Amino acid sequence: MFNYRFQWKQAWNRLPEMLDGALITMQVAILSMVIGILLAILLTLFRRSGSRILGGIATTWVEIARNTPALFQIYMAHFGLAGLGLHLSPYQSLLLGITFNNAGYLAENFRGALKAIPDTQPRAGRSLGMSDLQAFRFIVLPQMIRISFPTITNQMVWAVLMTSLGVTVGMNTDLYGVTQDLNALTFRTFELFAMAGVIFYIIVKIIQAGAWLISRRLFRY
C-alpha cells in the first residue's frame, strides 16, 4: 500500500547545494560546447584538406563519437586513460568525454551544412584574392554556423543532460552528483530527484529561449 510521506521542506532546505551543483553542470556543458565547436571546425577542415591521414583521423573520430554510447566515451576518458598511465579527475574525465561526443556530432552536422553552401562562393572569394583559409573563415564558416545553429542548440541541451553520467566516474559536484549524495544522507529520493528534474528542465528551457533570441538577433535573413 502507498504510504510514502512526502517531506518537501527537508528537500527544499537543500536547494542551495543543488543550485551550486547546477552551476557546475552548466560550466561543464558550456566548456564542452566551446571546445567541441572548435574541434568540430578543425575536423571539418581535416575532411576538406584532401589528406588521407587527416581525413581518416576526422572520420574515425566522428564514427566513434556517433556510434558508441556517451557513457562508454566517459568511461574511456576516466578508466581507459588511467590504464595507460594518464589519470584524470572525475571533472576532467566528464569534460573530456562530453567534448569528444560534441565534436564528433557537430563535425558531422557541419559536413551536412557545407553541402548547402554552393562551391561557387569560396571560389568567388579566391578570385578576389582570398586564400583558401580566408575564404573558409569569412565566407563559408559564418554560413555553416548559421545553417547548423539548430543542431548546435540541440547538442548544447544534450551536453547538459550528459553531465548526469559523471556520477558513474565519481563526479559528485554537479547537479546529479550533489543530488545523489544528498539522497544518501536524507533518503528523500522522490523529493530530491524531482527537484533536480525541475532544475534540469529549467536549464534546458533557458538554453532554448536563449538560442531563439540569438537566432532572431543574428540570423534574421
Side-chain angles (χ1 to χ4, degrees):
M1 184 175 179
F2 182 77
N3 59 1
Y4 186 85
R5 297 184 61 182
F6 294 100
Q7 297 184 24
W8 290 103
K9 184 176 180 180
Q10 187 175 355
W12 183 260
N13 290 337
R14 299 290 188 168
L15 181 60
E17 297 169 68
M18 297 176 69
L19 293 178
D20 287 341
L23 291 177
I24 300 298
T25 289
M26 286 301 300
Q27 182 185 87
V28 172
I30 292 172
L31 282 175
S32 71
M33 280 300 296
V34 171
I35 302 171
I37 288 173
L38 295 176
L39 288 173
I41 293 173
L42 183 63
L43 293 174
T44 301
L45 291 173
F46 281 4
R47 284 179 157 183
R48 290 169 57 91
S49 67
S51 168
R52 294 182 62 181
I53 295 176
L54 295 180
I57 292 173
T59 299
T60 301
W61 187 316
V62 171
E63 288 296 311
I64 294 174
R66 287 168 53 86
N67 296 295
T68 60
L71 181 60
F72 164 80
Q73 295 161 32
I74 295 170
Y75 259 52
M76 289 301 294
H78 192 71
F79 299 110
L81 293 181
L84 300 176
L86 180 59
H87 298 275
L88 301 179
S89 67
Y91 181 96
Q92 293 169 332
S93 300
L94 180 62
L95 178 60
L96 179 59
I98 297 178
T99 299
F100 181 89
N101 186 276
N102 288 343
Y105 272 91
L106 291 173
E108 185 67 12
N109 291 330
F110 290 166
R111 186 181 72 87
L114 287 176
K115 291 184 177 181
I117 302 173
D119 292 336
T120 53
Q121 293 191 18
R123 286 205 299 266
R126 288 192 293 270
S127 71
L128 295 174
M130 291 183 179
S131 65
D132 288 343
L133 186 59
Q134 287 175 324
F136 179 82
R137 177 184 174 187
F138 295 110
I139 298 174
V140 176
L141 183 59
Q143 296 182 78
M144 185 181 75
I145 296 298
R146 176 179 180 176
I147 295 169
S148 302
F149 191 74
T151 56
I152 292 174
T153 302
N154 290 340
Q155 192 65 32
M156 178 62 189
V157 170
W158 178 230
V160 169
L161 301 181
M162 277 194 290
T163 61
S164 63
L165 297 174
V167 71
T168 62
V169 293
M171 181 78 170
N172 63 355
T173 56
D174 66 310
L175 175 56
Y176 193 89
V178 168
T179 304
Q180 178 159 287
D181 282 354
L182 291 176
N183 177 54
L185 290 173
T186 64
F187 300 101
R188 308 318 305 173
T189 304
F190 184 91
E191 296 93 326
L192 288 169
F193 281 99
M195 288 175 61
V198 170
I199 295 172
F200 271 115
Y201 182 87
I202 292 172
I203 290 173
V204 168
K205 287 303 177 183
I206 290 173
I207 292 170
Q208 292 172 340
W212 182 81
L213 291 174
I214 291 172
S215 63
R216 292 261 302 181
R217 178 72 174 176
L218 300 180
F219 310 134
R220 298 182 188 180
Y221 307 108

